[in-house]
Amino acid sequence: QLDTGIPLVEQAVAFDPKNAELQFCLGMALVELGERQNALAHLTEALRLAPQDVPMLWQTAWLLATSADPSIRDGARALQLATKAVQKSDGRAPHAFDAQAAALAETENFEGAVAAAERGSALALTQGDTALADAIDARIRLYRQGTAYHQPASSVPKLDGAAAQPAE
């Protein structure tokens, strides 16, 4: 129901533009619609307002590292955000390591990508998230082949509150 929900979130953002969560939700909703450039502006604003928010950091990094749209991809910026997410989570967020691995691969540091992804997979397993571990393991195979992971054009992160999961 994005078509009806987005105008409401846009109104909320217009009313309270300094609300990082609203900016982030609007950005993720726009990602769902494929409006990635506009989405990126809202995600960037959300991070400006809440620069320590781990889910916002890794999800924005994920988008920048893996977007199907090459005009959105920015491996260096993705790496900066993902590394900050890893640090701010005290190394306990498997999604942050997954985003860091994708960013490392996007910057052609495949050895680093494998190492970060292996850490993310191991963390996901210890947290009981076998689906995430399996998805990361599939990306590890790409990194070992010297290939970055890019989302299929029809694939976007799934919205789940403020904790969206990377798309496969």
Side-chain angles (χ1 to χ4, degrees):
Q1 299 176 346
L2 290 173
D3 293 339
T4 57
I6 286 180
L8 296 174
V9 178
E10 287 174 329
Q11 287 176 346
V13 167
F15 180 74
D16 189 5
K18 295 192 184 296
N19 185 314
E21 193 169 319
L22 286 174
Q23 290 281 359
F24 183 76
C25 287
L26 180 55
M28 292 305 291
L30 291 169
V31 167
E32 287 276 345
L33 287 181
E35 295 182 27
R36 289 179 170 87
Q37 289 288 351
N38 195 13
L40 193 55
H42 288 284
L43 296 173
T44 299
E45 179 63 7
L47 287 174
R48 187 186 71 74
L49 295 166
Q52 311 303 317
D53 188 286
V54 172
M56 287 183 195
L57 285 163
W58 74 253
Q59 288 176 91
T60 304
W62 181 259
L63 178 66
L64 290 170
T66 67
S67 177
D69 181 349
S71 70
I72 297 294
R73 285 197 304 270
D74 182 345
R77 176 78 173 130
L79 183 57
Q80 177 188 31
L81 295 174
T83 299
K84 187 173 182 179
V86 167
Q87 292 168 345
K88 293 296 175 188
S89 72
D90 294 324
R92 290 182 279 190
H95 288 293
F97 282 103
D98 191 17
Q100 185 181 49
L104 286 162
E106 183 62 22
T107 60
E108 299 184 0
N109 179 348
F110 296 105
E111 185 176 313
V114 169
E118 286 175 342
R119 179 70 195 270
S121 178
L123 273 172
L125 282 175
T126 64
Q127 294 174 8
D129 192 342
T130 57
L132 177 59
D134 290 345
I136 294 173
D137 290 343
R139 289 187 278 278
I140 289 171
R141 289 189 285 281
L142 286 175
Y143 305 151
R144 285 191 173 132
Q145 296 170 1
T147 303
Y149 173 78
H150 297 146
Q151 297 179 55
S154 62
S155 177
V156 295
K158 295 179 182 175
L159 288 174
D160 181 21
Q165 306 296 316
E168 300 292 67

